[in-house]
Amino acid sequence: MQQASLKVNEVFESLQGEGSYTGAPSIFVRLQGCPVGCSWCDTKHTWQINLEDESSSEDVMAQNFESSQWFTVTPASLFDLFSQQGYVAKHIVITGGEPCMFDLRDLTELAHSLGYTTQIETSGTFEILCSSKTWVTVSPKVNMKGGYEMREDALLRANEIKHPVAMQKHIDELDSLLTLLPKDKQPLIYLQPISQQKRATDFAVKTCIQRNWRLSLQTHKFIGLE
Ligand code: SF4
């Protein structure tokens, strides 16, 4: 059976620095393409899928800087790549870009059959197609330039919601999204201060305590990891 192919911007092994899996050794698979248009996005090089940026996996893996280059790979070939690289982590984080622009069922189901756990980090603006065992992190993006609406089915599928915050307006946005979910289907909520600013961090800490939510601190940035 032909597997859905993926356009990959970057693959690397590190520690997951955010949310429930903080501290877990992980293989990150960053997919190319995102039309959501967040102004503070720190992966703008993944936004466009330009045909002239298509490259080989060897060239993309050899790069040690941010680039808009990408390569096409099937899920099975991706696991060959993990072996070639000598990766030992057993948790795979599929990120982007917006990974849910791709059908991720083949990749996540194959990963689970090989003994990996999987996680998707998504904006929640596309349908999430993945294994039922995948841990889904929705980081809601509301009123962004691309004009994409948050999807109720994405919120319902979320195991955790990781919300970037700097001010009360962001909490109000989150509250209005949470009203879409039944009381018994509320996921874990993590607040993540935007850009590690002190004011945003203080605000997130105060709100987490008031609301009994959790704090996510992008710990990888504090210890100099990608
Ligand atoms: S959804 Fe993610 S990758 Fe896309 S623009 Fe927003 S922050 Fe960047």
Side-chain angles (χ1 to χ4, degrees):
M1 190 179 73
Q2 194 175 5
Q3 296 181 329
S5 67
L6 305 164
K7 294 184 180 4
V8 176
N9 170 269
E10 182 178 30
V11 182
F12 60 96
E13 189 175 47
S14 186
L15 294 179
Q16 170 60 290
E18 306 177 3
S20 297
Y21 274 93
T22 294
S26 303
I27 300 168
F28 289 80
V29 178
R30 187 181 305 288
L31 301 183
Q32 186 73 17
C34 182
V36 177
C38 308
S39 56
W40 70 82
C41 177
D42 58 5
T43 54
K44 287 184 175 159
H45 58 285
T46 66
W47 284 10
Q48 303 296 331
I49 303 177
N50 295 319
L51 292 181
E52 62 269 27
D53 286 334
E54 182 165 16
S55 188
S56 65
S57 60
E58 291 79 12
D59 284 351
V60 170
M61 294 303 293
Q63 286 178 164
N64 57 1
F65 51 88
E66 289 182 353
S67 159
S68 55
Q69 291 198 322
W70 51 271
F71 65 94
T72 301
V73 72
T74 61
S77 307
L78 197 55
F79 290 96
D80 294 339
L81 182 67
F82 295 169
S83 300
Q84 286 159 19
Q85 296 294 318
Y87 293 158
V88 295
K90 296 301 278 182
H91 182 64
I92 300 172
V93 181
I94 308 162
T95 187
E98 175 40 75
C100 292
M101 291 174 68
F102 295 86
D103 182 341
L104 300 171
R105 287 173 292 194
D106 287 343
L107 172 57
T108 51
E109 277 160 18
L110 179 58
H112 288 281
S113 75
L114 295 171
Y116 291 86
T117 52
T118 61
Q119 178 178 10
I120 293 173
E121 297 182 330
T122 175
S123 62
T125 56
F126 283 78
E127 185 179 8
I128 301 169
L129 298 171
C130 66
S131 162
S132 59
K133 295 179 187 157
T134 299
W135 183 267
V136 173
T137 303
V138 171
S139 186
K141 304 298 187 313
V142 180
N143 295 329
M144 296 301 155
K145 268 194 254 156
Y148 283 79
E149 298 282 334
M150 284 301 302
R151 292 179 63 111
E152 199 172 328
D153 57 354
L155 291 168
L156 278 166
R157 177 63 181 82
N159 298 97
E160 64 183 8
I161 290 181
K162 190 178 63 186
H163 197 52
V165 292
M167 58 188 79
Q168 184 59 40
K169 176 180 86 141
H170 301 133
I171 301 299
D172 296 342
E173 285 166 358
L174 177 58
D175 276 335
S176 79
L177 290 174
L178 293 176
T179 61
L180 299 172
L181 300 176
K183 287 260 180 306
D184 61 346
K185 278 288 293 174
Q186 299 281 317
L188 290 170
I189 307 286
Y190 283 86
L191 299 184
Q192 187 159 288
I194 291 176
S195 307
Q196 297 92 50
Q197 298 157 2
K198 177 155 176 27
R199 270 183 60 189
T201 303
D202 291 346
F203 176 68
V205 168
K206 193 174 105 207
T207 311
C208 282
I209 292 170
Q210 278 171 352
R211 303 291 297 268
N212 205 17
W213 290 341
R214 300 180 182 193
L215 187 69
S216 175
L217 276 182
Q218 296 189 290
T219 48
H220 51 297
K221 296 193 177 175
F222 291 94
I223 53 176
L225 291 177
E226 186 174 358

